[in-house]
Amino acid sequence: MLSARRLNLNGIVINSAALVLVLSYALPYVYLLMTSIKPAADVQQIPPSFFPVVTSFQNFREVLQSSTLPRAFASSLTVAVLTTILSLAVAVPAAYVATHYRRRVTTLFLLFALVTRMVPSVSLGVPLFQLLKSLGLLDTVPGLVLAHTSAAVPLALLLMAAFFEGVPKDLEEAARMDGCTRFQAFLKVILPIMTGGIAVTALFTFITSWNEFLYALLLTSEATKTAPIVIAEYNSVYGLAWGAMTAAAVLYSLPVIIVTLALQKQIVGGLTFGAVKG
């Protein structure tokens, strides 16, 4: 009886702590949402109120009727999708080879990927600008995709390497004994059981490109300007247009939420992959 009470108390404490943690993460987004549905006068009031006195969707109408934001959203989506596809095409086979065929060079390869994640993006901005300028790719979708891919591939490589570490090498050996080549074993046996890990990596890669600001600021002007740049440029005669800015930010967050919900099962499977080995 005492043990049951202790377990019940522990459950209450854990659930309460989890609720507080979730609320602490959700509070800024809830405030963003509340601000986006306030009239312009209420947004500027001092002291600010958390909940709107009057609900208004004028901010959303304003950003949706603008000519720049929809184009910027389309540019961000195109760049993020192409970056995700290109990064996975490079990182998935590279991570498999690096983890299943251990050599000194593959270990150095993974170490190099880790080191590149430590390099600040701002230090790579000018070299990327000069490189893309020499190739004629400034302010173009391919140029921005290449820049985002250079930042996303090391992350995707490290994530996929961690997932491939949990794949028993016996699977490939069994496939080879059945007559498969190494490529066929990778394509028909390994990849189908890695859908969860690939989904997690794709999501993080997509978010990396979707939220990227610095490269888009340095490498684009008008033709391929992405949504974060456009949102940061919202101004009014009184300064920053907080109402329109928050409405645009809410709309910009929706694709990531939708993608996360769509890949929920794969993400959970990927995060728990390799936790239990039989």
Side-chain angles (χ1 to χ4, degrees):
M1 187 69 177
L2 184 60
S3 298
R5 288 182 178 178
R6 287 180 177 176
L7 288 175
N8 189 32
L9 180 61
N10 290 337
I12 294 174
V13 171
I14 293 174
N15 290 333
S16 299
L19 180 61
V20 171
L21 184 62
V22 170
L23 289 177
S24 66
Y25 275 96
L27 186 62
Y29 187 79
V30 174
Y31 185 72
L32 176 76
L33 182 61
M34 293 298 102
T35 304
S36 69
I37 57 177
K38 292 179 182 178
D42 292 351
V43 172
Q44 301 291 342
Q45 74 176 12
I46 298 175
S49 61
F50 188 87
F51 296 101
V53 178
V54 178
T55 301
S56 172
F57 293 96
Q58 178 60 35
N59 295 320
F60 288 94
R61 286 193 291 269
E62 179 182 342
V63 298
L64 290 175
Q65 290 172 359
S66 68
S67 59
T68 56
L69 191 63
R71 186 172 69 246
F73 266 60
S75 179
S76 291
L77 183 61
T78 302
V79 171
V81 170
L82 292 178
T83 298
T84 302
I85 294 173
L86 184 58
S87 298
L88 290 179
V90 174
V92 172
Y96 179 72
V97 171
T99 53
H100 278 245
Y101 302 96
R102 285 288 188 182
R103 300 289 188 275
R104 180 173 296 181
V105 64
T106 58
T107 302
L108 291 175
F109 180 64
L110 291 176
L111 181 61
F112 178 75
L114 178 62
V115 170
T116 56
R117 291 293 301 168
M118 303 176 185
V119 178
S121 298
V122 66
S123 64
L124 302 176
V126 174
L128 274 173
F129 180 89
Q130 295 294 340
L131 177 62
L132 294 181
K133 182 180 179 181
S134 64
L135 296 174
L137 294 177
L138 278 181
D139 200 20
T140 63
V141 170
L144 195 55
V145 168
L146 290 175
H148 284 192
T149 301
S150 68
V153 164
L155 174 63
L157 179 61
L158 293 173
L159 285 173
M160 288 307 305
F163 288 121
F164 278 126
E165 288 285 358
V167 178
K169 294 184 179 180
D170 297 343
L171 290 177
E172 182 185 348
E173 294 175 0
R176 295 291 303 278
M177 291 180 64
D178 288 339
C180 292
T181 63
R182 286 183 175 178
F183 180 74
Q184 289 174 333
F186 171 72
L187 194 64
K188 296 180 179 180
V189 178
I190 304 300
L191 280 187
I193 66 174
M194 290 299 298
T195 54
I198 293 174
V200 173
T201 305
L203 177 62
F204 278 94
T205 304
F206 182 87
I207 293 175
T208 298
S209 176
W210 187 252
N211 293 336
E212 204 282 322
F213 184 85
L214 179 63
Y215 290 162
L217 179 64
L218 294 175
L219 305 177
T220 65
S221 55
E222 293 298 329
T224 57
K225 186 181 292 186
T226 57
I229 307 301
V230 173
I231 294 173
E233 292 175 348
Y234 267 106
N235 289 293
S236 69
V237 293
Y238 303 104
L240 291 177
W242 290 109
M245 185 181 291
T246 54
V250 169
L251 293 175
Y252 192 65
S253 67
L254 292 180
V256 174
I257 296 174
I258 294 171
V259 170
T260 303
L261 293 176
L263 299 177
Q264 184 177 5
K265 292 183 179 180
Q266 289 84 353
I267 291 171
V268 173
L271 292 176
T272 57
F273 182 80
V276 179
K277 292 185 179 180

